[in-house]
Amino acid sequence: MATFSDQESNEPGATLWRDGRPVYDRAGTVCVIGAGASGLTAIKNLKEYGFGVDCYERETGVGGAWNWRHDRSPVYASTHLISSRPLTEYPDFPMPDSWPDYPHHSQLLSYLEHYADHFDLRPHIWFGTEVVRVEPADGDRWDVTTRSTGGYGAERTSRYSAVVVANGHNWAPKMPAYEGLDEFRGKVIHASAYKDATQVRGKRVLVVGAGNTGCDIAVEAGQQAAKCWHSTRRGYWYAPKYTFGRPADQVTDSLAPYRLPLRLRQWLFHRVLKLTVGDLTRFGLPRPDHRVFETHPIVNSHLVYQLGHGSITPVPDVGRFRRNSVTLVDGQEIEPDLVVFATGYLPRFEFLAPELLGTDASGRPALYLNAFPRRHPTLAVAGLLQPDSGLLPLVHWQSVVIARWLRLREAAPERARSFAARVDAEAGDRWHSAKVKESTRHWFEIGHIDYLRVLQRTLDELEVAA
């Protein structure tokens, strides 16, 4: 049990004590963990609401997952956005009109760097500094212990009025467990270790997983490898990047003002896919066991092209591995040199005790709006979203909600209590009109229109009177 000294101070820099170690009081300052796309907009919006902000970033630059130089980045050389530019940009910082509909990852990194410079965010960021522990302190405050990335140097603990966690959820690989995998003599990697087509060139490659990354890697292997098998457990709906001459997400979004019922939207999208993509079972892909919008959208115009040219061989799920081969669930036996597991990622909050986020035995946190835990009003998570659109506009408004909530707690505690009651009652609820599949991939799946509407209602409720 932690013990605190009787000394309390609202002066930044005052030294407190916890379990015999010094704690440096940052008074009303908010701590943000991570300087990726979510952390940057959290810093910016907290600043605009008058908070002091300290951000800790374990790497040496901004950008998070979009900075390919970072060792945890899942980005590969050919990565492009799968949501179009207008649905991806921050609402108060548009991307250049001269950019393509689907920018390259290097352009998005440049965009985030310019965002940090435009809003003067870098002075608030401690680069090369990782967070070791975040622990509750007296009065809904938090003790944040940091050290130089890699474990070098002494630890330092600072006390903050609130903590916003923005460490991302696409960096801790989820590796499947298959019988015989340990004895397989071929090379096995997770998609997080895939960087460019040289890794598959001339090889016999098995790609496991039908998410957007798995489809991208399968396409590159279809072009460069001697042989490419693409293994999927179920059928999916594969959307093209363009429909009717426009980015597909913009066409879909144009229907939002009409508030069409879900079933009608699903019927319309099925019709569009039938006209533009056709029946993919004729290529050997399994028929989807769900309706459109019930799984995360897969946006790839090249997969069907490669299937149609025979460059990719679709196969069912893996049954087991053997020394020199892989047996599939239908009895086929194939002999790949390289297996790429595009099997997704799991959220990791190494510096937080699981109960602080209401995390269950499977590792899934219970959060209202995918941001607020039940018992800790000054702790929030930014960007823990898997949307059917771009992330940046959503996390912008989500971080505005966080900033406004923290201000309301100071200005109008009575009104704040009603919001806290909703957090307690609705933490863990989904924000999607469709019945989304139950899997780790869909833990944080949201419909962006549904989510934006509830954010707007929340912002109105949390508005602080001038």
Side-chain angles (χ1 to χ4, degrees), residues 287-310:
R287 190 177 302 279
D289 61 355
H290 58 278
R291 295 175 180 269
V292 169
F293 308 133
E294 292 179 354
T295 59
H296 189 67
I298 299 172
V299 185
N300 194 303
S301 296
H302 296 293
L303 184 73
V304 177
Y305 181 89
Q306 296 295 332
L307 287 168
H309 286 74

Side-chain angles (χ1 to χ4, degrees), residues 356-360 364-368 370-374 423 427-429:
L356 296 177
L357 298 180
T359 304
D360 63 20
R364 180 179 184 176
L367 305 170
Y368 178 64
N370 287 25
F372 299 100
R374 284 190 172 93
V423 170
D429 283 5

Side-chain angles (χ1 to χ4, degrees), residues 8-153:
E8 290 295 336
S9 172
N10 290 323
E11 292 298 321
T15 303
L16 312 175
W17 295 89
R18 177 175 185 145
D19 296 335
R21 69 183 192 268
V23 178
Y24 300 95
D25 190 7
R26 297 293 292 141
T29 304
V30 178
C31 173
V32 174
I33 302 174
S38 299
L40 290 175
T41 195
I43 300 169
K44 177 255 181 191
N45 285 310
L46 286 164
K47 277 183 58 182
E48 289 188 350
Y49 273 79
F51 291 100
V53 184
D54 289 345
C55 174
Y56 296 110
E57 168 54 55
R58 70 186 306 276
E59 303 288 353
T60 56
V62 302
W66 289 103
N67 194 327
W68 58 271
R69 303 176 187 89
H70 294 174
D71 60 1
R72 289 180 173 180
S73 172
V75 163
Y76 39 94
S78 61
T79 302
H80 286 73
L81 292 178
I82 61 168
S83 54
S84 65
R85 178 166 44 86
L87 273 72
T88 303
E89 62 197 12
Y90 293 118
D92 55 357
F93 194 72
M95 294 182 184
D97 291 338
S98 60
W99 280 13
D101 291 330
Y102 296 98
H104 186 255
H105 71 82
S106 60
Q107 292 176 299
L108 191 65
L109 175 58
S110 172
Y111 172 74
L112 295 174
E113 290 173 336
H114 281 88
Y115 180 88
D117 293 336
H118 179 78
F119 292 107
D120 196 26
L121 306 182
R122 292 182 194 270
H124 297 271
I125 304 171
W126 296 70
F127 291 106
T129 305
E130 63 183 354
V131 174
V132 180
R133 290 182 302 278
V134 176
E135 305 164 289
D138 289 344
D140 288 329
R141 301 180 73 199
W142 297 90
D143 287 347
V144 178
T145 301
T146 60
R147 68 185 176 200
S148 295
T149 301
Y152 304 105

Side-chain angles (χ1 to χ4, degrees), residues 331-411:
Q332 289 185 71
E333 192 155 336
I334 59 177
E335 297 182 354
D337 308 312
L338 171 67
V339 177
V340 183
F341 285 124
T343 45
Y345 300 84
L346 291 172
R348 286 182 64 184
F349 306 98
E350 303 156 302
F351 42 79
L352 283 170
E355 62 271 16
L356 296 177
L357 298 180
T359 304
D360 63 20
S362 68
R364 180 179 184 176
L367 305 170
Y368 178 64
L369 294 177
N370 287 25
F372 299 100
R374 284 190 172 93
R375 304 287 179 247
H376 302 282
T378 54
L379 176 65
V381 181
L384 196 60
L385 305 169
Q386 189 80 1
D388 55 358
S389 67
L391 173 66
L392 275 57
L394 299 174
V395 74
H396 165 86
W397 292 114
Q398 184 191 57
S399 62
V400 173
V401 167
I402 293 169
R404 191 171 287 187
W405 156 243
L406 293 175
R407 272 287 168 245
L408 185 70
R409 290 187 75 249
E410 298 175 354

Side-chain angles (χ1 to χ4, degrees), residues 147-213:
R147 68 185 176 200
S148 295
T149 301
Y152 304 105
E155 293 183 355
R156 176 186 175 94
T157 302
S158 302
R159 184 161 296 175
Y160 290 96
S161 65
V163 172
V164 178
V165 179
N167 67 328
H169 62 280
N170 287 322
W171 58 267
K174 177 189 174 186
M175 289 293 286
Y178 286 107
E179 183 183 355
L181 183 57
D182 291 343
E183 67 185 64
F184 180 63
R185 299 297 297 272
K187 186 172 183 179
V188 176
I189 66 171
H190 187 269
S192 59
Y194 179 82
K195 296 304 172 186
D196 59 50
T198 60
Q199 292 170 265
V200 298
R201 189 168 297 148
K203 294 184 172 71
R204 297 165 62 82
V205 180
L206 170 63
V207 180
V208 180
N212 286 289
T213 298

